[in-house]
Amino acid sequence: MKTKSAPAVQEAEKSLGEEELEVLRRQYLKEGEFVTVQTKFNYAWGLIRSRDHQDAELGLLLLTEIYTDYPERRRECLYFIALGHYKLSNYTEARRFNQKLQKLEPNNEQALGLGKLIDEKVSTEGVIGLAIVSGVLAVGAALVTAIVKRSR
């Protein structure tokens, strides 16, 4: 059963084009050591939306810096930090940051939609994990049975 996600969650699943990301990267680099928090946020947002795993990790790092250094910007960082962790398959951290946002804004459609996606992924990966473990156990049992029969 697929969950109908908030539009912002669906949009975040789409990657940012290389050209768009390059515009954000150039602005970030141009500002250098005097980068504004808004430019840093915009670049981090673009990196989170990248297909590249390392870009997403850098975006998460930048958002975490903003979250730590600018308390007034924490609320707007929460969703994207949760999304970054989700995209990197860090579901426990994604859930933790998403729940922080939901405590502040219980009716936030983005947070509600992302929460459903996290739950679906955890559930799906849990089922896959059980299937793998079951398969390994079945193979192990078959090997033990073959060894026991052979030793008789």
Side-chain angles (χ1 to χ4, degrees):
M1 179 180 113
K2 279 289 175 200
T3 305
K4 184 177 183 218
S5 304
V9 173
Q10 291 170 344
E11 178 186 322
E13 287 293 312
K14 296 178 187 170
S15 296
L16 199 62
E18 273 302 313
E19 308 81 33
E20 296 166 304
L21 185 56
E22 187 56 33
V23 168
L24 297 171
R25 180 179 289 121
R26 272 189 262 130
Q27 182 62 37
Y28 178 79
L29 295 174
K30 178 181 171 187
E31 292 182 20
E33 67 180 275
F34 302 106
V35 66
T36 65
V37 68
Q38 188 60 51
T39 297
K40 190 175 190 178
F41 180 86
N42 292 347
Y43 183 45
W45 170 84
L47 289 167
I48 290 292
R49 294 189 58 203
S50 172
R51 283 189 181 121
D52 184 81
H53 191 80
Q54 289 179 327
D55 281 352
E57 287 177 341
L58 177 57
L60 192 54
L61 176 70
L62 295 175
L63 285 168
T64 302
E65 288 174 5
I66 295 168
Y67 181 84
T68 303
D69 297 342
Y70 300 92
E72 70 279 6
R73 301 293 294 258
R74 285 185 179 158
R75 185 257 154 274
E76 79 182 295
C77 289
L78 283 172
Y79 173 75
F80 292 104
I81 290 173
L83 182 65
H85 281 295
Y86 170 79
K87 290 184 82 169
L88 294 171
S89 301
N90 302 330
Y91 302 122
T92 301
E93 286 299 297
R95 181 177 281 137
R96 186 169 71 90
F97 281 97
N98 197 53
Q99 286 174 340
K100 284 183 179 186
L101 178 55
Q102 286 179 311
K103 282 182 183 174
L104 294 172
E105 299 178 12
N107 297 318
N108 183 306
E109 289 294 320
Q110 289 178 316
L112 294 171
L114 183 57
K116 289 176 183 175
L117 286 176
I118 293 167
D119 290 344
E120 287 175 2
K121 278 288 191 182
V122 168
S123 177
T124 300
E125 289 194 4
V127 168
I128 291 170
L130 284 174
I132 290 170
V133 169
S134 297
V136 168
L137 289 174
V139 169
L143 286 173
V144 168
T145 302
I147 291 170
V148 168
K149 284 183 178 181
R150 184 175 264 179
S151 65
R152 288 185 180 177

Coordinates of all heavy atoms in Angstrom, one line a residue, residues 12-78:
A12 N 10.8 16.5 -3.0 CA 12.1 16.3 -2.5 C 12.7 15.0 -3.0 O 13.9 14.8 -3.0 CB 12.1 16.3 -1.0
E13 N 11.9 14.0 -3.4 CA 12.4 12.8 -4.0 C 13.0 13.0 -5.4 O 13.7 12.2 -5.8 CB 11.2 11.8 -4.1 CG 10.8 11.2 -2.7 CD 11.9 10.4 -2.1 OE1 12.4 9.5 -2.7 OE2 12.2 10.6 -0.9
K14 N 12.6 14.1 -6.0 CA 13.2 14.4 -7.3 C 14.5 15.1 -7.1 O 14.7 15.9 -6.2 CB 12.3 15.4 -8.1 CG 10.9 14.8 -8.4 CD 10.1 15.8 -9.1 CE 8.7 15.3 -9.3 NZ 7.8 16.4 -9.8
S15 N 15.5 14.7 -8.0 CA 16.8 15.3 -7.9 C 16.9 16.7 -8.5 O 16.1 17.0 -9.4 CB 17.8 14.4 -8.6 OG 17.9 13.2 -7.9
L16 N 17.7 17.5 -7.9 CA 18.0 18.8 -8.5 C 18.9 18.6 -9.7 O 19.8 17.8 -9.6 CB 18.6 19.7 -7.4 CG 18.6 21.2 -7.6 CD1 17.1 21.7 -7.6 CD2 19.3 21.8 -6.4
G17 N 18.6 19.4 -10.7 CA 19.5 19.3 -11.9 C 20.9 19.7 -11.6 O 21.1 20.6 -10.7
E18 N 21.9 19.2 -12.3 CA 23.3 19.6 -12.1 C 23.5 21.1 -12.3 O 24.2 21.7 -11.6 CB 24.2 18.8 -13.1 CG 24.6 17.5 -12.6 CD 25.4 17.6 -11.2 OE1 26.3 18.4 -11.1 OE2 25.0 16.8 -10.3
E19 N 22.8 21.7 -13.3 CA 22.9 23.1 -13.6 C 22.4 23.9 -12.4 O 23.1 24.9 -12.0 CB 22.2 23.5 -14.8 CG 22.5 22.7 -16.1 CD 21.7 21.4 -16.1 OE1 20.6 21.3 -15.6 OE2 22.3 20.4 -16.7
E20 N 21.3 23.5 -11.8 CA 20.7 24.2 -10.7 C 21.6 24.1 -9.5 O 21.9 25.1 -8.8 CB 19.3 23.7 -10.3 CG 18.3 23.9 -11.4 CD 17.1 23.0 -11.2 OE1 17.2 21.8 -11.1 OE2 16.0 23.6 -11.2
L21 N 22.1 22.9 -9.2 CA 23.0 22.7 -8.1 C 24.3 23.5 -8.3 O 24.9 24.1 -7.3 CB 23.4 21.2 -8.0 CG 24.2 20.8 -6.7 CD1 23.5 21.3 -5.4 CD2 24.4 19.3 -6.7
E22 N 24.8 23.6 -9.5 CA 26.0 24.3 -9.8 C 25.8 25.8 -9.5 O 26.7 26.5 -9.0 CB 26.5 24.1 -11.3 CG 27.8 24.7 -11.6 CD 28.9 24.3 -10.7 OE1 28.9 23.1 -10.2 OE2 29.9 25.1 -10.4
V23 N 24.7 26.4 -9.8 CA 24.4 27.8 -9.5 C 24.5 28.0 -7.9 O 25.1 29.0 -7.5 CB 23.0 28.2 -9.9 CG1 22.5 29.5 -9.4 CG2 22.9 28.2 -11.5
L24 N 23.9 27.1 -7.2 CA 24.0 27.2 -5.7 C 25.4 27.0 -5.2 O 25.8 27.7 -4.3 CB 23.1 26.1 -5.1 CG 21.6 26.3 -5.4 CD1 20.8 25.1 -4.9 CD2 21.0 27.6 -4.8
R25 N 26.1 26.1 -5.8 CA 27.5 25.8 -5.4 C 28.4 27.1 -5.7 O 29.2 27.5 -4.8 CB 28.1 24.6 -6.2 CG 29.5 24.3 -5.8 CD 30.0 23.0 -6.6 NE 29.4 21.9 -6.1 CZ 28.7 21.0 -6.8 NH1 28.5 21.2 -8.1 NH2 28.1 19.9 -6.2
R26 N 28.2 27.7 -6.9 CA 29.0 28.8 -7.2 C 28.8 30.0 -6.3 O 29.7 30.7 -5.8 CB 28.8 29.3 -8.7 CG 29.7 28.6 -9.6 CD 29.6 29.1 -11.0 NE 28.6 28.3 -11.8 CZ 27.6 28.7 -12.5 NH1 27.3 29.9 -12.6 NH2 26.8 27.8 -13.1
Q27 N 27.5 30.2 -5.9 CA 27.2 31.3 -5.0 C 27.8 31.0 -3.6 O 28.4 31.9 -3.0 CB 25.7 31.4 -4.8 CG 25.2 32.6 -3.9 CD 25.7 33.9 -4.4 OE1 25.7 34.2 -5.6 NE2 26.1 34.8 -3.4
Y28 N 27.7 29.8 -3.1 CA 28.3 29.4 -1.9 C 29.8 29.6 -1.9 O 30.4 30.2 -0.9 CB 28.0 27.9 -1.6 CG 28.6 27.3 -0.3 CD1 28.0 27.6 0.9 CD2 29.7 26.5 -0.3 CE1 28.5 27.1 2.1 CE2 30.2 26.0 0.8 CZ 29.6 26.3 2.0 OH 30.2 25.8 3.2
L29 N 30.5 29.2 -2.9 CA 31.9 29.4 -3.0 C 32.3 30.8 -3.1 O 33.3 31.3 -2.6 CB 32.5 28.5 -4.2 CG 32.4 27.0 -4.0 CD1 32.8 26.3 -5.3 CD2 33.2 26.5 -2.8
K30 N 31.5 31.6 -3.9 CA 31.8 33.0 -4.1 C 31.8 33.8 -2.8 O 32.6 34.6 -2.6 CB 30.7 33.6 -5.0 CG 30.9 35.0 -5.3 CD 29.7 35.5 -6.2 CE 29.7 37.0 -6.3 NZ 28.5 37.5 -7.1
E31 N 30.9 33.4 -1.9 CA 30.8 34.1 -0.6 C 31.9 33.7 0.4 O 32.2 34.4 1.3 CB 29.4 33.9 0.0 CG 28.3 34.6 -0.8 CD 26.9 34.4 -0.1 OE1 26.8 34.1 1.1 OE2 26.0 34.6 -0.9
G32 N 32.5 32.5 0.1 CA 33.7 32.1 0.9 C 33.5 32.1 2.4 O 32.4 31.6 2.9
E33 N 34.4 32.6 3.1 CA 34.3 32.6 4.6 C 33.2 33.5 5.1 O 32.9 33.4 6.3 CB 35.7 32.9 5.2 CG 36.1 34.4 5.0 CD 37.5 34.7 5.6 OE1 37.5 35.0 6.9 OE2 38.5 34.6 4.9
F34 N 32.7 34.4 4.3 CA 31.6 35.3 4.7 C 30.3 34.8 4.2 O 29.3 35.6 4.0 CB 31.9 36.7 4.3 CG 33.2 37.2 4.8 CD1 34.3 37.3 4.0 CD2 33.4 37.5 6.1 CE1 35.5 37.8 4.4 CE2 34.6 38.0 6.6 CZ 35.7 38.1 5.8
V35 N 30.1 33.5 4.0 CA 28.9 33.0 3.4 C 27.7 33.3 4.4 O 27.8 33.1 5.6 CB 29.0 31.4 3.1 CG1 29.2 30.6 4.4 CG2 27.8 30.9 2.4
T36 N 26.6 33.7 3.8 CA 25.4 34.0 4.6 C 24.7 32.7 4.9 O 24.9 31.7 4.2 CB 24.4 34.9 3.8 OG1 23.9 34.2 2.7 CG2 25.1 36.2 3.4
V37 N 24.0 32.7 6.0 CA 23.3 31.5 6.4 C 22.3 31.1 5.4 O 22.0 29.9 5.2 CB 22.6 31.7 7.8 CG1 21.5 32.7 7.8 CG2 22.2 30.4 8.4
Q38 N 21.7 32.1 4.7 CA 20.7 31.8 3.7 C 21.3 31.1 2.5 O 20.8 30.1 1.9 CB 19.9 33.0 3.2 CG 18.8 32.7 2.3 CD 17.7 31.8 2.9 OE1 17.3 32.1 4.0 NE2 17.4 30.7 2.3
T39 N 22.5 31.5 2.0 CA 23.2 30.9 0.9 C 23.6 29.5 1.3 O 23.5 28.5 0.6 CB 24.5 31.7 0.5 OG1 24.0 33.0 0.1 CG2 25.3 31.0 -0.5
K40 N 24.1 29.3 2.6 CA 24.5 28.0 3.1 C 23.3 27.1 3.1 O 23.4 25.9 2.7 CB 25.1 28.2 4.5 CG 25.8 26.9 5.0 CD 26.4 27.3 6.4 CE 27.3 26.2 6.9 NZ 28.0 26.5 8.1
F41 N 22.2 27.6 3.6 CA 21.0 26.8 3.6 C 20.5 26.4 2.2 O 20.2 25.2 1.9 CB 19.8 27.6 4.3 CG 18.5 26.8 4.4 CD1 18.3 25.9 5.4 CD2 17.6 26.9 3.4 CE1 17.1 25.2 5.5 CE2 16.4 26.2 3.4 CZ 16.2 25.3 4.5
N42 N 20.5 27.3 1.3 CA 20.1 27.0 -0.1 C 21.0 26.0 -0.7 O 20.5 25.0 -1.4 CB 20.2 28.3 -1.0 CG 19.1 29.3 -0.6 OD1 18.2 29.0 0.2 ND2 19.3 30.5 -1.1
Y43 N 22.3 26.1 -0.5 CA 23.3 25.1 -1.0 C 23.0 23.7 -0.4 O 23.0 22.7 -1.1 CB 24.7 25.6 -0.8 CG 25.8 24.7 -1.4 CD1 25.7 24.1 -2.7 CD2 26.9 24.4 -0.7 CE1 26.6 23.3 -3.2 CE2 27.9 23.6 -1.2 CZ 27.8 23.0 -2.4 OH 28.8 22.2 -3.0
A44 N 22.8 23.7 0.9 CA 22.6 22.5 1.6 C 21.3 21.8 1.1 O 21.2 20.6 0.9 CB 22.5 22.7 3.1
W45 N 20.2 22.6 0.9 CA 19.0 22.2 0.4 C 19.2 21.5 -1.0 O 18.7 20.4 -1.3 CB 18.0 23.3 0.2 CG 16.8 23.1 -0.5 CD1 15.6 22.5 0.0 CD2 16.5 23.3 -1.9 NE1 14.7 22.4 -1.0 CE2 15.2 22.9 -2.1 CE3 17.3 23.9 -2.9 CZ2 14.6 23.1 -3.4 CZ3 16.7 24.0 -4.2 CH2 15.4 23.6 -4.4
G46 N 20.0 22.1 -1.9 CA 20.3 21.5 -3.2 C 21.0 20.2 -3.1 O 20.8 19.3 -3.8
L47 N 22.0 20.2 -2.1 CA 22.8 19.0 -2.0 C 22.0 17.8 -1.5 O 22.1 16.7 -1.9 CB 24.0 19.3 -1.0 CG 25.1 20.2 -1.5 CD1 26.0 20.6 -0.4 CD2 25.9 19.5 -2.6
I48 N 21.0 18.1 -0.6 CA 20.1 17.1 0.0 C 19.3 16.5 -1.2 O 19.0 15.3 -1.2 CB 19.2 17.6 1.0 CG1 20.0 18.0 2.3 CG2 18.0 16.7 1.3 CD1 20.5 16.8 3.1
R49 N 19.0 17.3 -2.2 CA 18.2 16.8 -3.3 C 19.0 16.2 -4.4 O 18.4 15.8 -5.4 CB 17.4 18.0 -3.8 CG 16.3 18.5 -2.8 CD 15.4 19.5 -3.3 NE 14.6 18.9 -4.4 CZ 14.0 19.6 -5.3 NH1 14.1 20.9 -5.3 NH2 13.4 19.1 -6.3
S50 N 20.3 16.1 -4.2 CA 21.2 15.5 -5.2 C 21.0 14.0 -5.2 O 20.7 13.4 -4.2 CB 22.6 15.9 -5.0 OG 23.5 15.2 -5.8
R51 N 21.3 13.4 -6.4 CA 21.3 11.9 -6.4 C 22.6 11.3 -5.8 O 22.7 10.2 -5.5 CB 21.3 11.4 -7.9 CG 19.9 11.5 -8.5 CD 19.9 10.9 -9.9 NE 18.6 11.0 -10.4 CZ 18.3 11.5 -11.5 NH1 19.2 12.0 -12.3 NH2 17.0 11.6 -12.0
D52 N 23.6 12.2 -5.8 CA 25.0 11.8 -5.3 C 25.0 11.6 -3.8 O 24.6 12.6 -3.1 CB 26.0 12.8 -5.8 CG 27.4 12.3 -5.4 OD1 28.0 11.5 -6.1 OD2 27.9 12.8 -4.4
H53 N 25.4 10.5 -3.3 CA 25.4 10.2 -1.9 C 26.3 11.2 -1.1 O 25.9 11.6 0.0 CB 25.9 8.7 -1.7 CG 25.8 8.2 -0.3 ND1 24.6 7.7 0.2 CD2 26.6 8.0 0.7 CE1 24.7 7.3 1.4 NE2 26.0 7.5 1.7
Q54 N 27.5 11.5 -1.7 CA 28.4 12.4 -1.0 C 27.8 13.8 -1.0 O 28.0 14.5 0.0 CB 29.8 12.4 -1.7 CG 30.5 11.1 -1.5 CD 31.9 11.1 -2.2 OE1 32.0 11.7 -3.3 NE2 32.9 10.5 -1.6
D55 N 27.1 14.2 -2.0 CA 26.5 15.5 -2.0 C 25.4 15.6 -0.8 O 25.4 16.6 -0.1 CB 25.7 15.8 -3.3 CG 26.7 16.3 -4.4 OD1 27.9 16.5 -4.1 OD2 26.2 16.4 -5.6
A56 N 24.6 14.5 -0.7 CA 23.6 14.5 0.3 C 24.3 14.5 1.7 O 23.8 15.2 2.6 CB 22.8 13.2 0.2
E57 N 25.4 13.8 1.9 CA 26.1 13.9 3.2 C 26.6 15.3 3.5 O 26.5 15.7 4.6 CB 27.3 12.9 3.2 CG 26.8 11.4 3.2 CD 28.0 10.4 3.2 OE1 29.1 10.8 2.7 OE2 27.8 9.3 3.6
L58 N 27.2 16.0 2.5 CA 27.6 17.3 2.7 C 26.5 18.2 3.0 O 26.6 19.1 3.9 CB 28.4 17.8 1.4 CG 28.9 19.3 1.5 CD1 29.8 19.5 2.7 CD2 29.6 19.7 0.2
G59 N 25.4 18.1 2.3 CA 24.2 18.9 2.6 C 23.7 18.7 4.0 O 23.4 19.6 4.7
L60 N 23.7 17.4 4.5 CA 23.3 17.1 5.8 C 24.3 17.8 6.8 O 23.9 18.3 7.8 CB 23.3 15.6 6.0 CG 22.7 15.1 7.3 CD1 21.2 15.6 7.5 CD2 22.6 13.5 7.2
L61 N 25.6 17.7 6.5 CA 26.6 18.4 7.4 C 26.3 19.9 7.5 O 26.3 20.5 8.6 CB 28.0 18.1 6.9 CG 29.1 18.8 7.6 CD1 29.3 18.2 9.0 CD2 30.4 18.7 6.8
L62 N 26.1 20.5 6.4 CA 25.8 22.0 6.4 C 24.6 22.3 7.1 O 24.5 23.3 7.9 CB 25.8 22.5 4.9 CG 27.1 22.4 4.1 CD1 26.8 22.9 2.7 CD2 28.2 23.3 4.7
L63 N 23.5 21.6 6.9 CA 22.2 21.8 7.6 C 22.4 21.6 9.1 O 21.9 22.4 9.9 CB 21.1 20.9 7.1 CG 20.6 21.3 5.8 CD1 19.7 20.1 5.2 CD2 19.8 22.6 5.9
T64 N 23.2 20.6 9.5 CA 23.5 20.4 10.9 C 24.2 21.5 11.5 O 24.0 22.0 12.7 CB 24.2 19.0 11.1 OG1 23.4 18.0 10.5 CG2 24.5 18.7 12.6
E65 N 25.2 22.1 10.8 CA 25.9 23.3 11.2 C 24.9 24.5 11.5 O 25.0 25.2 12.5 CB 27.0 23.7 10.2 CG 28.2 22.8 10.2 CD 29.2 23.1 9.1 OE1 29.0 24.1 8.4 OE2 30.1 22.3 9.0
I66 N 24.0 24.7 10.5 CA 23.1 25.8 10.7 C 22.2 25.5 11.9 O 21.9 26.4 12.7 CB 22.2 25.9 9.4 CG1 23.1 26.3 8.2 CG2 21.1 26.9 9.6 CD1 22.4 26.2 6.8
Y67 N 21.7 24.3 12.0 CA 20.9 23.9 13.1 C 21.6 24.2 14.5 O 20.9 24.7 15.4 CB 20.5 22.4 13.0 CG 19.6 21.9 14.1 CD1 18.2 22.0 14.0 CD2 20.1 21.3 15.2 CE1 17.4 21.5 15.0 CE2 19.3 20.8 16.2 CZ 17.9 20.9 16.1 OH 17.1 20.5 17.1
T68 N 22.8 23.9 14.5 CA 23.6 24.1 15.8 C 24.0 25.5 16.0 O 23.8 26.0 17.1 CB 24.9 23.2 15.7 OG1 24.6 21.9 15.5 CG2 25.7 23.4 17.0
D69 N 24.4 26.2 15.0 CA 24.9 27.6 15.1 C 23.8 28.7 15.1 O 24.1 29.8 15.6 CB 25.9 27.9 14.0 CG 27.1 27.0 14.1 OD1 27.4 26.4 15.2 OD2 27.8 26.9 13.1
Y70 N 22.6 28.4 14.6 CA 21.6 29.4 14.4 C 20.3 28.9 15.0 O 19.4 28.4 14.2 CB 21.4 29.8 12.9 CG 22.7 30.4 12.3 CD1 23.6 29.6 11.7 CD2 23.0 31.8 12.5 CE1 24.8 30.1 11.1 CE2 24.1 32.3 11.9 CZ 25.0 31.4 11.3 OH 26.2 32.0 10.7
P71 N 20.1 29.0 16.3 CA 18.9 28.5 16.9 C 17.6 29.0 16.3 O 16.6 28.3 16.2 CB 19.0 29.0 18.4 CG 20.4 29.2 18.6 CD 21.0 29.6 17.3
E72 N 17.6 30.2 15.8 CA 16.4 30.8 15.1 C 16.1 30.1 13.8 O 15.0 30.3 13.3 CB 16.6 32.3 14.9 CG 17.6 32.7 13.9 CD 19.0 32.7 14.3 OE1 19.3 32.3 15.5 OE2 19.9 33.2 13.5
R73 N 17.0 29.3 13.3 CA 16.8 28.6 12.0 C 16.5 27.1 12.2 O 16.4 26.4 11.2 CB 18.0 28.8 11.1 CG 18.4 30.2 10.7 CD 17.4 30.9 9.9 NE 17.2 30.4 8.5 CZ 17.7 31.0 7.4 NH1 18.5 32.0 7.5 NH2 17.5 30.4 6.3
R74 N 16.4 26.7 13.4 CA 16.3 25.2 13.7 C 15.0 24.6 13.1 O 15.1 23.6 12.5 CB 16.4 25.0 15.2 CG 17.7 25.1 15.7 CD 17.8 24.7 17.2 NE 19.3 24.8 17.5 CZ 19.7 25.0 18.8 NH1 18.8 25.0 19.8 NH2 21.0 25.1 19.0
R75 N 13.9 25.3 13.3 CA 12.7 24.8 12.8 C 12.7 24.5 11.3 O 12.3 23.5 10.8 CB 11.5 25.7 13.1 CG 10.1 25.2 12.8 CD 9.7 25.9 11.5 NE 8.8 25.4 10.6 CZ 9.1 24.6 9.6 NH1 10.2 24.0 9.4 NH2 8.2 24.3 8.6
E76 N 13.3 25.4 10.5 CA 13.3 25.2 9.1 C 14.3 24.2 8.7 O 14.2 23.6 7.6 CB 13.5 26.5 8.3 CG 14.9 27.1 8.2 CD 15.0 28.4 7.5 OE1 14.7 28.4 6.3 OE2 15.3 29.4 8.2
C77 N 15.3 23.9 9.5 CA 16.3 22.9 9.2 C 15.8 21.5 9.5 O 16.3 20.5 8.9 CB 17.6 23.1 10.0 SG 18.5 24.5 9.5
L78 N 14.9 21.3 10.5 CA 14.5 20.0 11.0 C 14.0 19.1 9.9 O 14.4 18.0 9.8 CB 13.4 20.2 12.0 CG 13.9 20.6 13.4 CD1 12.7 20.8 14.3 CD2 14.7 19.5 14.0

